Amino acid sequence: STLEDFAKDALAGLAALRVQLGTGLPSGLLGHSEGGAVAQLAAAMSDSVEFIVTLAGPGVSVTANILAQTELIGRANALPDAQIRRDVELLAAILGVLRSSASVETLRPLFLAKAREDVAAMSPEMRRALTDIPRHADVLFRQQMKMMDTRWFRSLIAYNPSNVVPSLACPVLALYGERDLQAPALINAEGMRTALEQAGHEASSVHIVPGVNHLFQIARIGSPAEYPSLAKEFAPGVISEIAEWILSLSATPASEQ
């Protein structure tokens, strides 16, 4: 499946909901993270989507988000700068190949180099146990490609909201977490504001929620490593902000949305 397939599924679900609930209130889609991209695509596919809400949805390309999150999470986890730089460079090379017509096999030398770096950083005991570096590189390559070399992932990294959001016919509420390291708030909020200005909907809004992470939990640093230790609930005010914005649409003339 691809992002476009997910968007079609979302539209089918919205149509079924309308049949059940009628058309008394505006009906739209809410998507979190990748789901935000799906909501954007669905709204671009059909005028039946009367609004969308995105939580940590992309405001810049997914590729830019992946590279940014790799650096930010590495820093949050106190990885050495040199390792972070190597990780970002390797990931950029992988994403570049996956977005092109080149064979993923061209990436094998990069994985061999990474395997050698990994082994060099190991303790003497671990280095003695891992003697077959090419095999280690092959394992790394196959593990990564099992997830990345797929129709879904290729469609994901090709997605750029600047190609979709400016043409939307509906208003958008885009919320971002101040401490989000997976969809960094500043770059995504700025990108979304620019795209929505082109769309021209006065009811659209972009807001960075203070103190919350990618899951909209109150967070200390925002690293995924701390997710399990945090309260399993939305930060106060997030749900009410969404509800109030949606309800405000029914009181706003369509020409002003």
Side-chain angles (χ1 to χ4, degrees):
S1 297
T2 64
L3 287 187
E4 289 77 11
D5 295 326
F6 298 151
K8 292 174 183 176
D9 288 345
L11 289 172
L14 185 61
L17 187 65
R18 277 207 188 89
V19 171
Q20 292 181 347
L21 301 181
T23 58
L25 290 173
S27 55
L29 299 170
L30 183 151
H32 173 259
S33 195
E34 179 186 342
V38 172
Q40 293 165 11
L41 276 173
M45 290 178 179
S46 174
D47 290 342
S48 67
V49 180
E50 296 176 90
F51 68 85
I52 63 172
V53 177
T54 64
L55 303 178
V60 295
S61 72
V62 171
T63 291
N65 269 296
I66 292 174
L67 295 176
Q69 72 178 229
T70 300
E71 179 176 355
L72 291 173
I73 293 173
R75 295 194 185 286
N77 293 339
L79 296 180
D81 287 346
Q83 181 179 340
I84 294 172
R85 184 173 60 255
R86 288 195 301 268
D87 289 346
V88 171
E89 289 173 352
L90 175 61
L91 190 51
I94 294 171
L95 298 180
V97 167
L98 289 172
R99 294 185 63 193
S100 74
S101 59
S103 168
V104 295
E105 292 296 320
T106 61
L107 293 168
R108 283 190 178 275
L110 296 179
F111 278 86
L112 181 58
K114 175 173 174 51
R116 286 174 173 149
E117 291 168 356
D118 289 347
V119 172
M122 292 177 181
S123 66
E125 294 78 12
M126 292 183 68
R127 282 200 298 271
R128 283 193 291 271
L130 205 162
T131 57
D132 192 343
I133 296 179
R135 183 176 180 278
H136 177 55
D138 182 64
V139 170
L140 290 175
F141 174 79
R142 286 187 286 108
Q143 286 176 339
Q144 289 274 23
M145 291 306 108
K146 183 177 181 180
M147 184 272 287
M148 291 181 159
D149 191 14
T150 61
R151 290 179 66 238
W152 160 70
F153 191 74
R154 285 177 182 266
S155 75
L156 180 65
I157 61 174
Y159 185 72
N160 190 331
S162 68
N163 298 326
V164 176
V165 174
S167 64
L168 293 185
C170 68
V172 177
L173 172 64
L175 301 183
Y176 297 97
E178 178 189 27
R179 294 177 182 162
D180 188 344
L181 303 186
Q182 292 183 257
L186 292 181
I187 62 170
N188 282 288
E190 180 180 356
M192 183 58 71
R193 287 191 183 101
T194 299
L196 289 174
E197 284 173 5
Q198 296 176 56
H201 298 293
E202 292 185 10
S204 291
S205 179
V206 179
H207 179 212
I208 296 177
V209 182
V212 306
N213 62 17
H214 187 64
L215 303 181
F216 289 82
Q217 302 164 293
I218 295 294
R220 293 181 292 276
I221 60 174
S223 171
E226 74 174 354
Y227 292 173
S229 67
L230 303 176
K232 307 300 187 292
E233 60 188 11
F234 278 103
V238 173
I239 298 297
S240 60
E241 179 174 358
I242 295 169
E244 289 167 8
W245 181 81
I246 294 172
L247 291 173
S248 74
L249 298 179
S250 62
T252 304
S255 61
E256 297 180 15
Q257 293 181 10

